[in-house]
Amino acid sequence: MSENLWSPGDSQSLLKASLTGLSLSFPLSLVLFTYERAVIPIYASIPTKLYLPHFTLLALAIPHLSPFIYLRKLSQWKWYIAGLALALAPNATYWVAIWTARWKDPYLGPAILHAVVLVPLVSAVAKCVISHIAVPKFTHSVMNIITSFASYPIASYIANMLERQSRLFDVSNSQILLVLSAFTVSYGIVQTDFVQPQAVKPSSKPTKGQKKRSSSSALLSISPIWKKLSALACFNLFFFLSFYPILHSPVLPDPLKVPLALPKPTAEGVRIQILSSVQSTTGLIVVGEAMTPPKKDLDAYEKAGTIHSVRYLRAAHSLLGGVWFGPRAMSLTENDKPLKDSIGVVLGDSIYGTFVLQEAARLVNSTHKAPENALIIGLGTGIAATALHRHNLNISIVEIDPAVYNAARKFFGLPNLDPGNVFLEDARGWAARKHADFHKTGNESILYDIVIHDCFSGGGVPQQLFSMEFLEDLKSVIHPEGVIVVNFAGYVISEPSRLILRTLERTVGGKCKAFFDSMTSLTEEQLRDDFLNIVFFCSLSSEPLTFRPAYMQDLLGSPLRRQMLGTLHSREIDLSLLREGDEQDKANGLPDVITDRSNPLGKMQEQKAHRHWELMRDVLPNVIWETY
């Protein structure tokens, strides 16, 4: 009978390997958490995460693969190598990210970044934690790699939990990585053997002079423990007092205490000022300005098409909106009362026409009730909310990120609303709660005449806010004569647009129209190929959906409102163009409507997210995306 290849000792070794892989999860989670948080403001979420698992698993495998396992001489320095990699990571991540992002390739750029920065960093950290366990030959390499791979899903889960910890919003990526670097090097110092072996000479009687010198050396010698303590103290003092400020990433501190302007304009002449930067629920929320040039240079800026006099709101790499100010804050007449921010800066029109287009809900005249109450889901800069408030509607807001609400209040002129009308929470939970309250006896909830649903961010939408279940919950707070407005950014003639249209028609009863926000008329080919904002209007009324003309009082002194609302009918999308693809969708196995159980919207948006990233890079100069 052949000899048994497995023994109790092998089982213990496998258990030790598993525990070692598990112990890798925590340092790996910190690396992934800080790395993603640093890269997403430059590459957005979907391009950043597309290849991230592949490169992370490659990095975890590298310490186990030949010829790396034969580099034994480096093993004694592994703690110092990992400490160096962690110390260099903040600057390396930022500079390599902006360098590759300038190629304007959302596939190649992140891949190169991961290969240059993430792989060496994760490999160095993994090398410190993992160990090569003596297991049976046929499982040796495989078992070590599997235990390392097993740490990745655990680390990803922990990293996702860390993203939601508000206590970490005020802790920068540089602080986390540099403290981790100092800890790693300090642990390496503790592990270093400070005892110098003495050479043994052939036996011979020492002279009196040799005895005397030996006695003096013994008195002056320092014990290994004191050598380690001295080395630890010297390293940490030197690191935190000298290198710590230098190794910080060049990104601005968040939260930013005071506005900060770049010392000089870019080569194109763009002058940037950051008014606010804060880490929050949906990522890094930044309010910035392309500043107004000196009056003598204004004509030259206009002729060159250089961006200026615009204030914008970013959530990571998503542009939530913006307004013109200074010489670009225009009005229709001198008597028009301008909108101002919290310190009195005059603000002009929105940089996006889609927010003004949403206000056309006020122009619906096929319902039998004048609008009184309006609900905004997804605030952005608050363009639509502010306009409806100026038209004396009672406004309620549901916004998941408090930092977005604060930015809209301070920098974009959002009026002070009743605290009972501001809900800083996830819209899905809010709508479910309102639906439950609706069925309680004696409940007198507000029914909204206008609901504006605009939750696009980062190249995509939260797919759970487009399902029938959510819309049914939302429908419970809409007046029977009310109108729901849904903004969707993408391609007009596409599977996602058709899915959303069918879902809305099924939920509200089929009285829907759609409009695009382009400043010019579009051909069918452009509707198929151009990335646009599509605004769906659906009425719960039994009457066909119609709109009255926009009058002067509807425009609030805004040239953009005159442009968008005055030409509303020319912007209407022929919905038969969308419905032509319904049969093809069925043939492709797509669901008829979006439900919680069958929701392909998220996967459909991955390709679109890359196109949106490219579009944003073409629309705005690099300096706006690189300064935060």
Side-chain angles (χ1 to χ4, degrees):
M1 195 172 187
S2 61
E3 186 181 352
N4 187 12
L5 295 177
W6 197 267
S7 68
D10 296 329
S11 298
Q12 292 176 1
S13 296
L14 289 175
L15 177 61
K16 185 178 178 182
S18 301
L19 293 174
T20 302
L22 188 63
S23 67
L24 177 58
S25 300
F26 182 67
L28 180 59
S29 69
L30 288 176
V31 170
L32 292 175
F33 166 65
T34 54
Y35 181 78
E36 289 181 32
R37 203 165 71 162
V39 175
I40 286 174
I42 296 176
Y43 271 116
S45 180
I46 292 176
T48 296
K49 295 180 179 181
L50 181 62
Y51 300 125
L52 188 68
H54 308 80
F55 281 95
T56 305
L57 293 175
L58 171 64
L60 291 171
I62 282 176
H64 303 287
L65 301 177
S66 298
F68 305 103
I69 60 176
Y70 298 107
L71 300 177
R72 300 300 186 193
K73 290 184 179 180
L74 290 179
S75 293
Q76 60 182 319
W77 302 103
K78 62 184 180 181
W79 294 101
Y80 302 104
I81 294 170
L84 179 63
L86 288 163
L88 296 177
N91 274 283
T93 304
Y94 176 78
W95 291 112
V96 176
I98 66 168
W99 171 58
T100 54
R102 290 180 181 181
W103 304 345
K104 297 184 178 180
D105 189 328
Y107 294 97
L108 179 62
I112 297 297
L113 172 64
H114 299 338
V116 172
V117 177
L118 182 68
V119 170
L121 179 60
V122 171
S123 295
V125 171
K127 180 64 178 174
C128 293
V129 180
I130 63 173
S131 58
H132 296 281
I133 307 299
V135 293
K137 187 175 181 181
F138 69 91
T139 60
H140 183 270
S141 297
V142 175
M143 189 61 204
N144 281 313
I145 292 175
I146 288 174
T147 55
S148 293
F149 281 5
S151 67
Y152 174 68
I154 302 172
S156 295
Y157 177 77
I158 297 172
N160 289 333
M161 289 179 61
L162 293 175
E163 286 179 6
R164 297 190 290 270
Q165 298 302 310
S166 58
R167 292 180 183 179
L168 291 176
F169 289 166
D170 294 343
V171 182
S172 71
N173 301 325
S174 295
Q175 288 172 324
I176 294 171
L177 290 172
L178 293 178
V179 169
L180 194 57
S181 169
F183 174 82
T184 304
V185 173
S186 297
Y187 190 80
I189 292 171
V190 172
Q191 293 294 306
T192 301
D193 186 2
F194 282 81
V195 178
Q196 295 293 333
Q198 299 293 326
V200 180
K201 294 184 179 180
S203 61
S204 61
K205 243 183 176 182
T207 64
K208 285 185 179 181
Q210 288 174 328
K211 285 182 180 179
K212 190 173 182 180
R213 284 193 297 273
S214 176
S215 176
S216 300
S217 293
L219 289 171
L220 293 172
S221 65
I222 304 174
S223 66
I225 185 66
W226 284 107
K227 288 181 180 179
K228 289 184 180 183
L229 289 174
S230 300
L232 283 170
C234 290
F235 163 73
N236 282 284
L237 281 171
F238 190 66
F239 180 81
F240 284 103
L241 294 179
S242 299
F243 281 102
Y244 187 78
I246 299 171
L247 294 170
H248 263 257
S249 168
V251 301
L252 301 176
D254 53 81
L256 188 65
K257 303 296 185 185
V258 294
L260 184 65
L262 294 188
K264 55 184 180 180
T266 65
E268 297 83 12
V270 182
R271 300 167 68 239
I272 293 295
Q273 177 176 229
I274 303 300
L275 303 176
S276 172
S277 177
V278 57
Q279 197 73 230
S280 192
T281 308
T282 57
L284 189 66
I285 306 300
V286 178
V287 180
E289 289 180 346
M291 299 168 69
T292 303
K295 196 170 183 180
K296 61 183 178 65
D297 299 330
L298 199 54
D299 288 342
Y301 269 65
E302 294 289 351
K303 288 178 183 177
T306 304
I307 189 169
H308 70 86
S309 305
V310 62
R311 181 177 293 179
Y312 57 86
L313 175 63
R314 283 180 59 182
H317 196 276
S318 179
L319 194 65
L320 299 186
V323 294
W324 304 106
F325 68 93
R328 290 190 164 177
M330 301 176 185
S331 60
L332 292 175
T333 70
E334 293 181 357
N335 298 324
D336 293 321
K337 186 179 179 181
L339 184 67
K340 296 180 181 180
D341 70 5
S342 60
I343 61 170
V345 175
V346 174
L347 305 176
D349 272 326
S350 167
I351 61 173
Y352 283 139
T354 187
F355 303 129
V356 171
L357 191 56
Q358 293 164 11
E359 298 171 30
R362 284 186 59 254
L363 308 184
V364 172
N365 62 358
S366 52
T367 59
H368 302 292
K369 183 179 184 298
E372 299 175 14
N373 301 302
L375 172 66
I376 309 293
I377 300 176
L379 178 62
T381 55
I383 301 298
T386 301
L388 294 179
H389 185 271
R390 292 173 74 184
H391 286 299
N392 299 315
L393 271 71
N394 178 40
I395 307 298
S396 295
I397 290 170
V398 180
E399 167 56 52
I400 194 171
D401 198 326
V404 171
Y405 173 74
N406 292 335
R409 286 277 298 114
K410 186 174 182 180
F411 300 106
F412 296 94
L414 180 71
N416 188 24
L417 303 176
D418 187 319
N421 287 5
V422 178
F423 305 93
L424 301 179
E425 58 181 292
D426 177 48
R428 187 66 191 260
W430 180 88
R433 190 175 69 250
K434 288 294 183 181
H435 192 185
D437 291 344
F438 177 76
H439 294 290
K440 293 179 181 177
T441 56
N443 182 61
E444 295 184 2
S445 297
I446 295 175
L447 291 180
Y448 297 100
D449 307 299
I450 296 173
V451 173
I452 296 178
H453 173 306
D454 187 356
C455 301
F456 181 82
S457 178
V461 294
Q463 62 180 25
Q464 71 276 12
L465 298 187
F466 285 80
S467 70
M468 279 197 70
E469 290 83 350
F470 171 72
L471 293 173
E472 287 290 350
D473 286 343
L474 192 59
K475 188 177 174 182
S476 68
V477 299
I478 304 176
H479 192 278
E481 295 289 320
V483 176
I484 181 171
V485 182
V486 176
N487 186 66
F488 179 72
Y491 304 99
V492 175
I493 304 177
S494 65
E495 291 175 344
S497 297
R498 290 194 292 271
L499 256 178
I500 291 170
L501 174 61
R502 291 197 297 265
T503 304
L504 285 169
E505 288 181 330
R506 179 77 62 84
T507 306
V508 302
K511 310 297 188 302
C512 293
K513 289 190 176 184
F515 301 84
F516 58 80
D517 67 341
S518 173
M519 293 297 179
T520 58
S521 59
L522 300 175
T523 64
E524 183 176 334
E525 184 179 1
Q526 287 173 310
L527 292 175
R528 194 181 305 276
D529 298 336
D530 288 3
F531 197 95
L532 301 166
N533 281 295
I534 310 150
V535 183
F536 294 96
F537 292 80
C538 298
S539 172
L540 274 65
S541 171
S542 58
E543 300 293 330
L545 184 62
T546 58
F547 297 79
R548 66 170 173 80
Y551 304 125
M552 197 66 182
Q553 59 266 32
D554 297 313
L555 307 182
L556 300 174
S558 161
L560 181 62
R561 287 185 176 87
R562 180 174 61 184
Q563 170 83 8
M564 300 300 295
L565 301 180
T567 59
L568 182 65
H569 294 288
S570 66
R571 302 175 183 283
E572 186 171 354
I573 298 167
D574 183 358
L575 293 184
S576 65
L577 294 175
L578 273 70
R579 295 191 180 99
E580 285 175 359
D582 287 348
E583 292 302 319
Q584 185 62 43
D585 290 347
K586 285 183 182 179
N588 292 337
L590 289 178
D592 189 42
V593 294
I594 301 168
T595 64
D596 288 340
R597 294 187 63 183
S598 181
N599 192 341
L601 200 57
K603 293 294 291 182
M604 288 178 173
Q605 292 180 105
E606 288 186 2
Q607 178 70 28
K608 184 185 74 174
H610 289 80
R611 176 64 189 130
H612 178 261
W613 185 89
E614 293 172 332
L615 204 62
M616 290 295 97
R617 282 283 167 168
D618 289 335
V619 168
L620 296 172
N622 290 329
V623 67
I624 285 181
W625 301 115
E626 296 168 3
T627 309
Y628 56 89

